[in-house]
Amino acid sequence: MDGSKRRGQPIRGLEGVVAAETSLSFVDADNGKLYYRGYDIDELAGRVCFEEAVHLLWTGSLPSRGCLEELRSELIADMRLPQQVYEMIRLAPPSADPMVVLRTAISALDLFDPDTGRNTEAANLRKGKRLLAQVATIVASLHQLRSGGAVRSADRSLDFAGNVLYMFLGREPEEFERSVFDTLLVLHADHGLAASTFAARVTVSTLAGMHSAICAGLANLNGPLHGGANRKVIEMLEEIGGPERVEAYIDGMLARGQRIMGFGHRIYKTQDPRSRYLRRFAEELPRREGREDLLAVSSRIESLVYERKGIYPNVDFYSATVQEALGIPKEYFTCIFAVARTAGWVAHVMEQFRDNRLIRPTSKYIGGFDKTFVPIGDRG
Ligand code: COA
């Protein structure tokens, strides 16, 4: 066998590989900064609503008041599902992971979407709006169906964030809750070529459609090394129980070579700018009875993990305590991340379609050569 075919070392985890050009977001590893379309996240967080961030990502500019109203009202109008998809959600086994139900429902929505099979810019924008609204509606409806509440229709007097909380919690949120949740969505909307975003871009690089890409993103996001970490964080906080037990617990995990969920990042080697906001919200939101210790446990873990490993919390660490304080059950934490990140996936899908080339890397083959074939009757 020609030795040239065996050459080339794989780059584990594709670390440092530049796999796409994007104008959507930039993760500045050295300075711990995040940019959406050139705007520092510190300029945007708390100053734009989620719909403004969506408009920015999808079109490249912040909307005028009129454009914002238009996008908001389109998204709210799209917050409904075909009856068959409601039924599908209702019939999902009660023990099924909400992220799996969500992924399955998005796949089913492709059966009913009027633009299915159409990948033009205009069709993709229509599908993107519907998908963003429907992801939120599926998550909220699933929670209501499972908790015995009434499935709510969107309320035109509320914005996107307000509607997600209203439909999810089954009550109108307080203004502080709404604004925290709104900023949480803004902070989660896009993040360079995260694994799920890459998966979405790879999917449409074959000219498969947007629903397939969102399914790929959802499947990928659910892993505990990505968006699934936020659920694991709250489980860890609950298991630890009190700040006095942090040291033994964390040292035990590190001694066993286990990962501390919600810490570390492939790109940031300094503070994740998103975690600063989420930590502040975690401190400001009132804690529910019996959950007062979660924040004290979180703070102690943060300082100890930095002491032991020199790594910082990522977006998932304090997002767990924020979501918990907002009354979102832990099984839905990753779904909420998915609601926000759908905005980014849609933007990346549209960007990929504008200048597409099949994404098809190569591998280093280590499976051997020149084996002698043995017919089935002669095998032992
Ligand atoms: N807990 C303990 N150690 C960690 C760690 C964590 N969460 N994250 C990274 N490290 C350590 C590794 O053990 C390794 O240390 P070593 O050099 O002494 O062996 C070093 O940091 C580099 O880790 P590496 O596996 O190369 O990082 P990566 O870029 O492949 O992984 C993550 C990035 C995000 C997958 C990783 O940090 C992780 O598993 N975090 C926990 C899951 C999580 O929170 N995911 C959400 C990401 S937003």
Side-chain angles (χ1 to χ4, degrees):
M1 172 55 59
D2 175 3
S4 67
K5 291 203 171 64
R6 300 177 199 178
R7 266 189 237 124
Q9 283 305 319
I11 297 173
R12 267 173 63 77
L14 299 184
E15 181 166 5
V17 172
V18 179
E21 202 168 62
T22 183
S23 57
L24 300 173
S25 63
F26 173 58
V27 182
D28 180 348
D30 301 327
N31 300 304
K33 291 219 162 259
L34 170 62
Y35 294 85
Y36 289 171
R37 296 273 198 181
Y39 292 94
D40 189 329
I41 198 71
D42 288 335
E43 288 288 312
L44 301 175
R47 295 170 80 188
V48 297
C49 64
F50 181 63
E51 297 90 311
E52 286 175 271
V54 170
H55 192 281
L56 176 64
L57 288 169
W58 289 2
T59 70
S61 63
L62 286 165
S64 64
R65 207 171 283 282
C67 289
L68 170 62
E69 288 308 324
E70 193 182 324
L71 176 61
R72 178 173 293 158
S73 97
E74 286 170 342
L75 289 173
I76 291 170
D78 282 336
M79 284 177 143
R80 55 200 156 81
L81 303 170
Q83 192 56 34
Q84 295 94 324
V85 177
Y86 269 122
E87 281 304 300
M88 211 215 74
I89 297 169
R90 199 177 58 76
L91 294 173
S95 59
D97 176 352
M99 276 294 281
V100 174
V101 180
L102 173 60
R103 192 196 68 217
T104 309
I106 294 300
S107 195
L109 278 173
D110 206 0
L111 303 170
F112 302 99
D113 196 286
D115 284 308
T116 190
R118 229 175 271 139
N119 292 333
T120 61
E121 178 89 10
N124 276 333
L125 191 56
R126 288 193 296 271
K127 284 197 274 191
K129 286 178 195 162
R130 278 194 288 275
L131 276 162
L132 179 55
Q134 288 168 327
V135 165
T137 308
I138 292 164
V139 175
S141 306
L142 179 65
H143 177 49
Q144 283 302 323
L145 284 168
R146 283 189 171 178
S147 55
V151 172
R152 316 270 159 161
S153 302
D155 179 338
R156 289 202 161 270
S157 69
L158 300 171
D159 65 0
F160 186 85
N163 261 304
V164 180
L165 276 186
Y166 164 66
M167 295 195 299
F168 187 91
L169 299 173
R171 64 167 173 87
E172 212 173 298
E174 307 274 326
E175 174 48 25
F176 183 58
E177 295 174 314
R178 191 213 58 77
S179 79
V180 163
F181 187 68
D182 201 7
T183 304
L184 180 141
L185 294 180
V186 170
L187 294 172
H188 282 79
D190 200 39
H191 206 237
L193 214 54
S196 56
T197 304
F198 185 52
R201 289 188 79 129
V202 170
T203 304
V204 292
S205 83
T206 69
L207 304 184
M210 188 173 291
H211 286 74
S212 302
I214 305 304
C215 285
L218 288 165
N220 191 293
L221 185 74
N222 200 25
L225 296 189
H226 193 358
N230 53 18
R231 268 182 291 182
K232 299 280 178 199
V233 167
I234 208 81
E235 283 162 13
M236 172 176 75
L237 300 181
E238 287 170 346
E239 210 176 308
I240 294 175
E244 70 289 351
R245 287 196 282 276
V246 167
E247 191 162 341
Y249 187 96
I250 296 295
D251 283 343
M253 279 188 83
L254 293 176
R256 292 189 294 276
Q258 290 172 315
R259 297 279 161 129
I260 314 299
M261 289 293 139
F263 281 84
H265 199 271
R266 170 62 63 80
I267 309 284
Y268 294 119
K269 297 305 168 205
T270 173
Q271 294 247 17
D272 179 333
R274 302 165 300 175
S275 70
R276 273 190 281 117
Y277 293 94
L278 295 166
R279 184 196 296 107
R280 203 185 75 217
F281 296 150
E283 285 161 3
E284 288 171 359
L285 280 165
R287 309 241 48 100
R288 290 187 293 145
E289 212 182 318
R291 313 294 278 179
E292 297 86 356
D293 261 0
L294 290 182
L295 193 58
V297 172
S298 304
S299 309
R300 181 71 194 109
I301 296 177
E302 181 177 356
S303 51
L304 191 73
V305 172
Y306 183 74
E307 231 174 77
R308 299 288 194 259
K309 297 288 296 184
I311 53 175
Y312 297 92
N314 57 47
V315 72
D316 291 308
F317 190 63
Y318 283 105
S319 128
T321 29
V322 169
Q323 292 201 51
E324 205 278 337
L326 287 171
I328 297 166
K330 61 185 170 198
E331 309 81 68
Y332 292 90
F333 287 4
T334 314
C335 292
I336 297 297
F337 188 157
V339 171
R341 188 54 60 86
T342 299
W345 293 331
V346 166
H348 279 270
V349 163
M350 291 195 289
E351 188 174 62
Q352 181 68 34
F353 269 122
R354 276 178 220 127
D355 182 25
N356 185 53
R357 186 163 188 235
L358 175 73
I359 300 174
R360 201 293 187 198
T362 189
S363 50
K364 180 185 177 193
Y365 175 67
I366 53 166
F369 294 98
D370 305 327
K371 291 190 180 162
T372 305
F373 177 76
V374 180
I376 193 160
D378 299 340
R379 291 175 215 156

Short mmCIF file of all heavy atoms in Angstrom, two decimals, residues 13 15 191 223-230 233 254 257-267 269 272 274 305 309 311 314-317 337, ligand 1:
data_model
loop_
_atom_site.label_atom_id
_atom_site.label_comp_id
_atom_site.label_asym_id
_atom_site.label_seq_id
_atom_site.Cartn_x
_atom_site.Cartn_y
_atom_site.Cartn_z
N GLY A 13 -10.32 16.35 18.25
CA GLY A 13 -11.39 17.30 18.57
C GLY A 13 -11.37 18.52 17.66
O GLY A 13 -12.03 19.52 17.96
N GLU A 15 -9.37 20.73 17.39
CA GLU A 15 -8.98 21.94 18.13
C GLU A 15 -8.13 22.86 17.25
O GLU A 15 -7.16 22.42 16.63
CB GLU A 15 -8.20 21.56 19.40
CG GLU A 15 -7.80 22.79 20.20
CD GLU A 15 -7.33 22.48 21.60
OE1 GLU A 15 -7.22 21.28 21.96
OE2 GLU A 15 -7.07 23.44 22.35
N HIS A 191 -22.55 31.36 19.51
CA HIS A 191 -21.24 31.25 20.14
C HIS A 191 -20.24 30.61 19.19
O HIS A 191 -19.73 29.51 19.43
CB HIS A 191 -21.35 30.44 21.44
CG HIS A 191 -20.28 30.79 22.42
ND1 HIS A 191 -19.41 29.87 22.95
CD2 HIS A 191 -19.92 31.99 22.96
CE1 HIS A 191 -18.57 30.49 23.78
NE2 HIS A 191 -18.87 31.77 23.79
N GLY A 223 -25.70 16.73 24.60
CA GLY A 223 -24.61 16.02 25.29
C GLY A 223 -24.08 16.82 26.47
O GLY A 223 -24.04 18.05 26.43
N PRO A 224 -23.68 16.12 27.56
CA PRO A 224 -23.22 16.82 28.77
C PRO A 224 -21.93 17.62 28.59
O PRO A 224 -21.63 18.48 29.41
CB PRO A 224 -23.04 15.71 29.81
CG PRO A 224 -23.11 14.43 29.07
CD PRO A 224 -23.80 14.67 27.77
N LEU A 225 -21.16 17.38 27.51
CA LEU A 225 -19.99 18.23 27.30
C LEU A 225 -20.37 19.53 26.62
O LEU A 225 -19.55 20.42 26.45
CB LEU A 225 -18.92 17.49 26.47
CG LEU A 225 -18.29 16.25 27.12
CD1 LEU A 225 -17.11 15.76 26.31
CD2 LEU A 225 -17.88 16.50 28.57
N HIS A 226 -21.64 19.65 26.21
CA HIS A 226 -22.12 20.88 25.57
C HIS A 226 -23.29 21.40 26.42
O HIS A 226 -23.16 21.56 27.63
CB HIS A 226 -22.48 20.55 24.11
CG HIS A 226 -22.70 21.72 23.20
ND1 HIS A 226 -22.64 23.02 23.58
CD2 HIS A 226 -23.00 21.76 21.85
CE1 HIS A 226 -22.88 23.82 22.55
NE2 HIS A 226 -23.12 23.08 21.48
N GLY A 227 -24.44 21.60 25.83
CA GLY A 227 -25.55 22.22 26.56
C GLY A 227 -26.14 21.37 27.67
O GLY A 227 -26.79 21.88 28.59
N GLY A 228 -25.93 20.04 27.59
CA GLY A 228 -26.46 19.16 28.62
C GLY A 228 -25.79 19.37 29.97
O GLY A 228 -26.25 18.84 30.99
N ALA A 229 -24.72 20.18 29.98
CA ALA A 229 -23.98 20.39 31.24
C ALA A 229 -24.84 21.12 32.28
O ALA A 229 -24.68 20.88 33.48
CB ALA A 229 -22.70 21.19 30.97
N ASN A 230 -25.75 22.00 31.85
CA ASN A 230 -26.49 22.80 32.85
C ASN A 230 -27.35 21.93 33.77
O ASN A 230 -27.48 22.19 34.95
CB ASN A 230 -27.27 23.96 32.19
CG ASN A 230 -28.17 23.53 31.06
OD1 ASN A 230 -28.51 22.35 30.93
ND2 ASN A 230 -28.59 24.48 30.24
N VAL A 233 -25.10 20.28 36.27
CA VAL A 233 -24.65 21.23 37.30
C VAL A 233 -25.62 21.21 38.47
O VAL A 233 -25.23 21.07 39.63
CB VAL A 233 -24.52 22.66 36.72
CG1 VAL A 233 -24.36 23.69 37.85
CG2 VAL A 233 -23.34 22.75 35.76
N LEU A 254 -12.11 15.19 41.28
CA LEU A 254 -10.86 15.43 40.56
C LEU A 254 -9.91 14.24 40.73
O LEU A 254 -9.23 13.84 39.79
CB LEU A 254 -10.20 16.73 41.04
CG LEU A 254 -10.97 18.02 40.69
CD1 LEU A 254 -10.29 19.24 41.29
CD2 LEU A 254 -11.11 18.18 39.17
N GLY A 257 -10.52 11.68 38.38
CA GLY A 257 -10.35 12.11 36.97
C GLY A 257 -11.66 12.53 36.33
O GLY A 257 -11.79 12.54 35.10
N GLN A 258 -12.66 12.91 37.15
CA GLN A 258 -13.96 13.31 36.58
C GLN A 258 -13.99 14.79 36.26
O GLN A 258 -13.28 15.58 36.88
CB GLN A 258 -15.08 12.97 37.57
CG GLN A 258 -15.31 11.48 37.70
CD GLN A 258 -16.29 11.16 38.83
OE1 GLN A 258 -16.19 11.70 39.93
NE2 GLN A 258 -17.21 10.27 38.56
N ARG A 259 -14.82 15.15 35.29
CA ARG A 259 -15.01 16.56 34.91
C ARG A 259 -15.99 17.25 35.85
O ARG A 259 -17.01 16.65 36.22
CB ARG A 259 -15.60 16.64 33.50
CG ARG A 259 -14.70 16.06 32.44
CD ARG A 259 -13.69 17.08 32.08
NE ARG A 259 -12.56 16.50 31.42
CZ ARG A 259 -12.09 16.96 30.27
NH1 ARG A 259 -12.68 17.95 29.66
NH2 ARG A 259 -11.00 16.42 29.75
N ILE A 260 -15.70 18.47 36.20
CA ILE A 260 -16.66 19.26 36.98
C ILE A 260 -17.55 19.97 35.96
O ILE A 260 -17.08 20.78 35.17
CB ILE A 260 -15.95 20.32 37.87
CG1 ILE A 260 -14.74 19.72 38.61
CG2 ILE A 260 -16.95 20.96 38.84
CD1 ILE A 260 -15.03 18.59 39.55
N MET A 261 -18.82 19.64 35.99
CA MET A 261 -19.74 20.18 34.98
C MET A 261 -19.91 21.68 35.16
O MET A 261 -19.99 22.18 36.28
CB MET A 261 -21.09 19.47 35.08
CG MET A 261 -21.01 18.05 34.58
SD MET A 261 -20.69 18.01 32.80
CE MET A 261 -19.52 16.69 32.69
N GLY A 262 -19.96 22.38 34.01
CA GLY A 262 -20.10 23.83 34.05
C GLY A 262 -18.77 24.56 34.15
O GLY A 262 -18.75 25.78 34.33
N PHE A 263 -17.67 23.82 34.03
CA PHE A 263 -16.34 24.45 34.09
C PHE A 263 -15.53 24.09 32.86
O PHE A 263 -15.67 23.00 32.29
CB PHE A 263 -15.58 23.99 35.34
CG PHE A 263 -16.03 24.72 36.56
CD1 PHE A 263 -17.15 24.28 37.25
CD2 PHE A 263 -15.38 25.87 36.98
CE1 PHE A 263 -17.61 24.97 38.36
CE2 PHE A 263 -15.83 26.56 38.09
CZ PHE A 263 -16.94 26.11 38.79
N GLY A 264 -14.65 25.01 32.49
CA GLY A 264 -13.73 24.78 31.37
C GLY A 264 -14.40 25.11 30.05
O GLY A 264 -15.63 25.20 29.95
N HIS A 265 -13.58 25.34 29.06
CA HIS A 265 -14.10 25.67 27.73
C HIS A 265 -13.03 25.41 26.70
O HIS A 265 -11.85 25.64 26.96
CB HIS A 265 -14.55 27.14 27.68
CG HIS A 265 -15.48 27.40 26.55
ND1 HIS A 265 -15.04 27.75 25.31
CD2 HIS A 265 -16.83 27.32 26.49
CE1 HIS A 265 -16.09 27.87 24.51
NE2 HIS A 265 -17.19 27.61 25.20
N ARG A 266 -13.44 24.95 25.52
CA ARG A 266 -12.45 24.71 24.47
C ARG A 266 -11.77 26.01 24.02
O ARG A 266 -10.57 26.03 23.76
CB ARG A 266 -13.15 24.03 23.27
CG ARG A 266 -12.31 23.92 22.01
CD ARG A 266 -11.06 23.08 22.19
NE ARG A 266 -11.29 21.71 22.53
CZ ARG A 266 -11.61 20.74 21.66
NH1 ARG A 266 -11.75 21.02 20.39
NH2 ARG A 266 -11.79 19.51 22.07
N ILE A 267 -12.52 27.09 23.98
CA ILE A 267 -11.95 28.34 23.45
C ILE A 267 -11.47 29.27 24.57
O ILE A 267 -10.32 29.67 24.59
CB ILE A 267 -12.97 29.09 22.56
CG1 ILE A 267 -13.58 28.15 21.50
CG2 ILE A 267 -12.34 30.33 21.93
CD1 ILE A 267 -12.72 27.83 20.33
N LYS A 269 -9.85 30.64 27.69
CA LYS A 269 -8.92 30.18 28.72
C LYS A 269 -8.94 31.19 29.87
O LYS A 269 -8.14 31.18 30.79
CB LYS A 269 -7.50 29.98 28.15
CG LYS A 269 -7.46 28.90 27.07
CD LYS A 269 -8.02 27.52 27.55
CE LYS A 269 -8.25 26.56 26.39
NZ LYS A 269 -9.26 25.52 26.60
N ASP A 272 -15.44 33.39 31.04
CA ASP A 272 -16.47 33.41 30.01
C ASP A 272 -17.33 34.65 30.30
O ASP A 272 -17.91 34.75 31.38
CB ASP A 272 -17.29 32.11 30.13
CG ASP A 272 -18.43 32.01 29.13
OD1 ASP A 272 -18.93 33.06 28.68
OD2 ASP A 272 -18.82 30.87 28.82
N ARG A 274 -20.16 35.57 29.51
CA ARG A 274 -21.58 35.30 29.77
C ARG A 274 -21.80 34.91 31.22
O ARG A 274 -22.85 35.19 31.80
CB ARG A 274 -22.08 34.20 28.84
CG ARG A 274 -21.91 34.54 27.37
CD ARG A 274 -22.07 33.33 26.48
NE ARG A 274 -21.10 32.29 26.78
CZ ARG A 274 -21.09 31.08 26.22
NH1 ARG A 274 -22.01 30.77 25.33
NH2 ARG A 274 -20.17 30.19 26.54
N VAL A 305 -12.53 25.24 42.32
CA VAL A 305 -12.11 24.68 41.02
C VAL A 305 -11.03 25.57 40.40
O VAL A 305 -10.07 25.07 39.81
CB VAL A 305 -13.31 24.49 40.06
CG1 VAL A 305 -12.85 24.09 38.67
CG2 VAL A 305 -14.27 23.43 40.61
N LYS A 309 -7.68 23.75 39.58
CA LYS A 309 -7.42 23.48 38.15
C LYS A 309 -7.14 24.73 37.33
O LYS A 309 -6.79 24.63 36.15
CB LYS A 309 -8.63 22.75 37.51
CG LYS A 309 -8.96 21.40 38.09
CD LYS A 309 -7.96 20.32 37.71
CE LYS A 309 -7.88 19.99 36.25
NZ LYS A 309 -6.96 18.88 35.95
N ILE A 311 -9.34 26.74 36.18
CA ILE A 311 -10.37 26.93 35.14
C ILE A 311 -11.59 27.66 35.71
O ILE A 311 -11.83 27.64 36.91
CB ILE A 311 -10.79 25.60 34.45
CG1 ILE A 311 -11.20 24.54 35.47
CG2 ILE A 311 -9.68 25.09 33.54
CD1 ILE A 311 -11.72 23.26 34.84
N ASN A 314 -18.20 28.13 32.94
CA ASN A 314 -18.69 28.49 31.60
C ASN A 314 -20.17 28.89 31.72
O ASN A 314 -20.73 28.94 32.82
CB ASN A 314 -18.44 27.36 30.59
CG ASN A 314 -19.08 26.05 31.04
OD1 ASN A 314 -20.25 26.03 31.43
ND2 ASN A 314 -18.31 24.96 31.00
N VAL A 315 -20.80 29.12 30.56
CA VAL A 315 -22.17 29.64 30.55
C VAL A 315 -23.15 28.74 31.32
O VAL A 315 -24.13 29.21 31.90
CB VAL A 315 -22.63 29.85 29.09
CG1 VAL A 315 -22.88 28.52 28.38
CG2 VAL A 315 -23.85 30.74 29.00
N ASP A 316 -22.85 27.43 31.35
CA ASP A 316 -23.81 26.49 31.93
C ASP A 316 -23.84 26.50 33.45
O ASP A 316 -24.80 26.04 34.06
CB ASP A 316 -23.52 25.07 31.43
CG ASP A 316 -23.83 24.94 29.96
OD1 ASP A 316 -24.95 25.30 29.58
OD2 ASP A 316 -22.95 24.52 29.20
N PHE A 317 -22.75 26.99 34.07
CA PHE A 317 -22.67 26.85 35.52
C PHE A 317 -23.73 27.71 36.23
O PHE A 317 -24.58 27.19 36.95
CB PHE A 317 -21.26 27.20 36.02
CG PHE A 317 -21.07 26.84 37.47
CD1 PHE A 317 -21.15 25.52 37.89
CD2 PHE A 317 -20.83 27.81 38.43
CE1 PHE A 317 -20.99 25.17 39.23
CE2 PHE A 317 -20.67 27.48 39.77
CZ PHE A 317 -20.76 26.16 40.17
N PHE A 337 -31.83 26.48 26.74
CA PHE A 337 -30.62 26.80 25.97
C PHE A 337 -30.94 26.65 24.48
O PHE A 337 -30.61 27.51 23.65
CB PHE A 337 -29.50 25.84 26.42
CG PHE A 337 -28.11 26.13 25.89
CD1 PHE A 337 -26.99 25.66 26.59
CD2 PHE A 337 -27.88 26.85 24.73
CE1 PHE A 337 -25.68 25.89 26.14
CE2 PHE A 337 -26.58 27.09 24.25
CZ PHE A 337 -25.50 26.61 24.96
N1 COA B 1 -13.30 19.64 35.13
C1 COA B 1 -12.05 19.24 35.42
N2 COA B 1 -11.01 19.40 34.59
C2 COA B 1 -11.25 20.00 33.43
C3 COA B 1 -12.52 20.44 33.05
C4 COA B 1 -13.56 20.25 33.97
N3 COA B 1 -14.80 20.66 33.68
N4 COA B 1 -12.45 21.00 31.83
C5 COA B 1 -11.20 20.91 31.44
N5 COA B 1 -10.46 20.30 32.39
C6 COA B 1 -9.03 20.05 32.37
C7 COA B 1 -8.71 18.72 31.72
O1 COA B 1 -8.70 17.67 32.64
C8 COA B 1 -7.37 19.00 31.17
O2 COA B 1 -6.45 18.98 32.24
P1 COA B 1 -5.04 18.27 32.12
O3 COA B 1 -4.34 19.03 31.03
O4 COA B 1 -4.48 18.41 33.47
O5 COA B 1 -5.37 16.86 31.71
C9 COA B 1 -7.45 20.44 30.71
O6 COA B 1 -8.44 21.03 31.54
C10 COA B 1 -7.84 20.61 29.25
O7 COA B 1 -9.01 19.84 29.00
P2 COA B 1 -9.48 19.36 27.56
O8 COA B 1 -10.19 18.06 27.71
O9 COA B 1 -8.35 19.40 26.59
O10 COA B 1 -10.48 20.47 27.17
P3 COA B 1 -11.47 20.42 25.94
O11 COA B 1 -11.28 21.68 25.21
O12 COA B 1 -11.36 19.16 25.14
O13 COA B 1 -12.89 20.36 26.65
C11 COA B 1 -14.91 20.96 27.61
C12 COA B 1 -13.73 21.43 26.77
C13 COA B 1 -15.94 22.07 27.66
C14 COA B 1 -15.55 19.73 26.95
C15 COA B 1 -14.40 20.61 29.03
O14 COA B 1 -13.92 21.78 29.65
C16 COA B 1 -15.47 19.95 29.89
O15 COA B 1 -15.62 18.72 29.82
N6 COA B 1 -16.23 20.72 30.69
C17 COA B 1 -17.30 20.17 31.48
C18 COA B 1 -18.57 20.09 30.66
C19 COA B 1 -19.16 21.45 30.41
O16 COA B 1 -19.29 22.26 31.31
N7 COA B 1 -19.54 21.68 29.16
C20 COA B 1 -20.16 22.92 28.75
C21 COA B 1 -19.25 23.70 27.86
S1 COA B 1 -19.90 25.29 27.50
#
